[in-house]
Amino acid sequence: MRGLSLLFLLAFSTCLLSAQTNVVVVADAAVESNLRAAKVLQHYLEEMTGGNLVDLRPFGTIQPHTTVVFIGYDPSLSTFGFHTPPALPEDGYFLEGKNGHFLIAGGGELGAEYGVYDLLERLGCRKYSPRDAFIPKVRALRLPDLSPTTAIPAFPYRELWYEPAFDEEWARWHKLKTNPKKNAEWGLFVHTFDKLCPAEEHFAKHPEYYSWNGAQYSPGQLCLSNDTVRQIVIASLRKLIEEKPAAQYWSVSQNDNFDYCKCPRCAASDAHYGGPAGTLLAFVNAVAAEFSDKTISTLAYQYTRKAPEGIRPADNVSICLCSIECNRGLPIAEGCTDFARDVDEWSQLTHNLMIWDYVVQFRSYISPFPNWSTLQPNLQLFHEHGVRMLFEQGSGHDRSEFSDRRAYLLAKLMWDPQANADSILLDFDRGITVRHNLLSRHTLMN
Ligand SMILES: [Zn+2]
């Protein structure tokens, strides 16, 4: 197999006129993620340099005097002064640049590609939005010197619900979950009780499967202390998992209303656990026990937001805690102390905490929404509490007030909530201004 893992290189010209190669990219061809990252780098370096040469040659032809980007590590790179990079988690990457050479090593399926985007930004490239990119044109490429740098995301799962993130290329550049990847990973996504135990199918014959409000049954939520309901949900979920076995995350979660069951058994359970979240969690833990190789996600939302007492999520249960009620004029720690308390209490019960955070107002997408100063402190709060998964709800597929700018800032802060937010916004504003001035002049001249 050693022969198969020979390193291959892709070569690029310095400019259209000379078609002279001045940078080569070398990737371990046996590792698909490294080869894919090399092709991404090839694409952008060709755009930068106007190059059009792509050459595949064995690694042995690379000499230390050649300017080269290595993607993936090989012991022979000690010739170039590079030592073995540290072990890297999923999405993490390692960069080092010296003497005109550059090393990118990545963790998991995407780490190397994310390292490529980092290098491209260091070379001046920007992807402001799916409509606004800046790729500088250079005649000869100089690779930057960089001391050994390891980059690991603050939140392993980063999903951004703003329009730019539905563009796969933009989302990958900003190291976010792409829409196709999300759809592949999730079998069911939030508010799933009715899918798993449909009222249309059962309510007429068995109203006791659903919510008792003290006077009558309603199909709003399930009666979570009913054993038959649990068996129906387990059977439905088993069937759905058989249809989509590769999906890891399966949401078993309340419908989007407050109509939870108050029958004597559920009410006693709620009292026992200090609130409805405990009754929900007992139910979800029992379902999750049937699917030990899957992650069962549930909502801590509205009436289940407050953490329970005397019960904790099973190892394969993920809690999606939602901040929908919070005042957006102040950071959560100042303006929504009850939610800050919930973050703290849930974080003590589980390491599988996801935050569904709302960064948009729904009344009017185009009206000014002055929550800019809250975005970074809120992400910092989540990070301090060990949150692993983030869903930042913006305006979805609709464009909204400064949605490109918001998406750009949030993407950077979701990777590193300690990044300099002012610098990120200044970079965006200058970049967009320059790009649109150039476009206007170009339009005038033509
Ligand atoms: Zn009940």
Side-chain angles (χ1 to χ4, degrees):
M1 290 303 289
R2 192 64 205 148
L4 282 178
S5 67
L6 276 179
L7 298 172
F8 288 84
L9 61 85
L10 312 168
F12 312 96
S13 68
T14 51
C15 66
L16 279 170
L17 292 176
S18 68
Q20 180 186 352
T21 299
N22 95 316
V23 178
V24 293
V25 180
V26 177
D28 185 343
V31 180
E32 194 270 338
S33 57
N34 287 340
L35 198 57
R36 192 185 61 243
K39 288 178 178 170
V40 170
L41 185 59
Q42 171 200 348
H43 168 79
Y44 285 104
L45 292 187
E46 284 186 348
E47 200 173 330
M48 288 179 73
T49 62
N52 55 6
L53 293 181
V54 177
D55 195 11
L56 294 174
R57 284 177 277 162
F59 176 64
T61 61
I62 300 296
Q63 301 299 322
H65 56 76
T66 309
T67 301
V68 55
V69 180
F70 298 101
I71 299 182
Y73 187 75
D74 184 282
S76 65
L77 298 191
S78 60
T79 310
F80 294 81
F82 293 120
H83 303 293
T84 310
L88 295 161
E90 189 88 20
D91 291 355
Y93 57 87
F94 173 87
L95 305 179
E96 186 175 1
K98 57 168 71 170
N99 306 319
H101 312 307
F102 207 88
L103 169 63
I104 299 172
E109 187 190 343
L110 289 163
E113 187 174 330
Y114 291 166
V116 163
Y117 297 128
D118 189 317
L119 172 60
L120 289 169
E121 293 220 339
R122 290 171 192 275
L123 293 171
C125 300
R126 292 292 185 273
K127 194 75 83 176
Y128 294 116
S129 79
R131 296 156 289 277
D132 292 295
F134 176 68
I135 310 296
K137 306 295 181 195
V138 297
R139 295 183 70 83
L141 199 71
R142 292 170 65 100
L143 294 171
D145 282 344
L146 181 69
S147 57
T149 300
T150 301
I152 294 171
F155 304 97
Y157 183 103
R158 303 165 303 282
E159 185 175 357
L160 179 59
W161 199 246
Y162 263 123
E163 184 265 349
F166 293 96
D167 181 276
E168 194 172 349
E169 194 177 343
W170 188 92
R172 289 173 85 97
W173 183 286
H174 291 283
K175 313 181 189 85
L176 295 166
K177 187 70 67 189
T178 63
N179 211 231
K181 181 91 171 152
K182 187 262 179 73
N183 291 337
E185 288 182 356
W186 285 82
L188 289 172
F189 189 62
V190 306
H191 303 315
T192 62
F193 275 174
D194 196 59
K195 292 189 187 78
L196 294 165
C197 185
E200 191 176 293
E201 189 178 334
H202 299 291
F203 186 72
K205 274 192 174 177
H206 293 285
E208 75 278 12
Y209 291 174
Y210 299 88
S211 301
W212 173 253
N213 66 10
Q216 61 183 10
Y217 288 105
S218 96
Q221 302 286 355
L222 301 178
C223 174
L224 298 177
S225 57
N226 184 307
D227 291 341
T228 308
V229 169
R230 189 177 68 249
Q231 294 308 321
I232 290 170
V233 167
I234 288 169
S236 299
L237 188 56
R238 182 163 282 124
K239 186 165 180 294
L240 290 167
I241 289 175
E242 283 170 6
E243 291 168 6
K244 195 176 176 182
Q248 180 60 35
Y249 301 103
W250 294 85
S251 178
V252 176
S253 55
Q254 67 208 55
N255 300 322
D256 199 359
N257 62 63
F258 284 86
D259 196 12
Y260 64 96
C261 185
K262 301 170 190 71
C263 77
R265 279 192 317 247
C266 287
S269 174
D270 291 355
H272 175 72
Y273 291 121
T279 304
L280 170 70
L281 198 51
F283 180 88
V284 170
N285 280 351
V287 174
E290 301 286 323
F291 306 100
S292 58
D293 60 335
K294 298 297 180 192
T295 301
I296 305 301
S297 171
T298 197
L299 291 169
Y301 172 63
Q302 297 177 333
Y303 65 84
T304 55
R305 213 188 76 188
K306 187 178 181 313
E309 299 158 8
I311 187 170
R312 58 173 62 229
D315 287 345
N316 65 326
V317 168
S318 174
I319 300 298
C320 182
L321 175 59
C322 308
S323 67
I324 195 165
E325 299 90 350
C326 286
N327 172 356
R328 294 291 158 184
L330 291 168
I332 285 168
E334 297 171 43
C336 196
T337 51
D338 56 337
F339 187 76
R341 176 207 63 205
D342 295 338
V343 172
D344 186 53
E345 290 182 359
W346 278 109
S347 72
Q348 293 178 41
L349 296 180
T350 179
H351 298 297
N352 286 330
L353 191 54
M354 178 174 188
I355 298 285
W356 184 303
D357 190 28
Y358 297 79
V359 289
V360 66
Q361 54 89 11
F362 296 108
R363 199 174 295 271
S364 169
Y365 277 165
I366 56 168
S367 296
F369 187 46
N371 67 337
W372 290 93
S373 63
T374 70
L375 302 176
Q376 182 160 32
N378 288 349
L379 289 171
Q380 289 172 340
L381 176 80
F382 303 150
H383 186 231
E384 286 160 12
H385 285 83
V387 169
R388 293 184 56 76
M389 300 172 74
L390 274 183
F391 181 93
E392 290 290 341
Q393 173 150 14
S395 52
H397 291 271
D398 295 314
R399 296 179 73 180
S400 57
E401 180 246 15
F402 289 120
S403 49
D404 287 353
R405 191 175 188 260
R406 290 173 175 279
Y408 190 80
L409 175 64
L410 282 165
K412 300 279 190 197
L413 294 178
M414 288 166 84
W415 179 270
D416 176 12
Q418 308 303 329
N420 188 320
D422 289 341
S423 296
I424 294 166
L425 290 176
L426 191 63
D427 178 61
F428 179 92
D429 295 342
R430 282 182 175 163
I432 290 291
T433 303
V434 167
R435 177 165 162 69
H436 285 269
N437 280 347
L438 286 174
L439 283 176
S440 304
R441 277 162 49 195
H442 179 79
T443 306
L444 286 172
M445 288 166 66
N446 289 281

